[in-house]
Amino acid sequence: MKLELELSTREQYIIALSLSVGIVAGLWFGILMIPPRALDVPMRFLDDGAVSASYYPVTNTHLFISAALPLATAYLVRNHARDDGTDELTPDRSDGDGDGRDCAHDLDGSSTREFGPHPLNGGESA
């Protein structure tokens, strides 16, 4: 049995962003699920009398991944959406007559102008 999915570009972007946020959430929830006693790290004493942890449960890598992964994914998705020729992310709001003005459609499919005269065309109405 073979399952084939036909995902739109928008759905692929949503999945990519969800995965990156899920990875970061899983990273932090994994650390928070560890009992506090397990994170009670041994200390070492330095020569100058200061106290330092022997190891750090949350490393700089955790912080870097938490910030960089969602931002990098959002940036790549945004740039890919700009480069993509299809406008799946923006709805087509024109009424099809080529003037670019929005219109409302009645239930029978006929269009009616509800927005009044266009201010840039000298006030003439459609």
Side-chain angles (χ1 to χ4, degrees):
M1 178 175 197
K2 186 175 181 182
L3 177 67
E4 293 184 21
L5 293 176
E6 299 281 335
L7 297 175
S8 68
T9 307
R10 182 172 187 249
E11 291 166 340
Q12 292 172 1
Y13 296 158
I14 291 171
I15 290 171
L17 288 171
S18 299
L19 282 176
S20 68
V21 170
I23 288 171
V24 170
L27 181 75
W28 286 103
F29 283 133
I31 289 176
L32 293 175
M33 288 177 60
I34 298 173
R37 261 201 250 161
L39 295 177
D40 189 15
V41 297
M43 297 294 184
R44 62 185 167 136
F45 297 95
L46 302 176
D47 293 334
D48 59 355
V51 178
S52 175
S54 295
Y55 71 94
Y56 296 101
V58 178
T59 62
N60 291 337
T61 306
H62 287 84
L63 300 174
F64 177 74
I65 289 174
S66 297
L69 185 64
L71 290 176
T73 306
Y75 178 76
L76 292 173
V77 164
R78 184 174 149 252
N79 282 346
H80 190 270
R82 279 188 184 170
D83 295 341
D84 195 8
T86 61
D87 287 336
E88 290 184 43
L89 298 178
T90 56
D92 184 21
R93 298 192 55 168
S94 66
D95 58 357
D97 60 0
D99 64 355
R101 291 187 278 179
D102 294 338
C103 72
H105 292 278
D106 290 337
L107 292 176
D108 62 355
S110 63
S111 65
T112 57
R113 300 264 182 214
E114 292 184 359
F115 302 110
H118 196 278
L120 299 178
N121 287 346
E124 64 185 43
S125 62

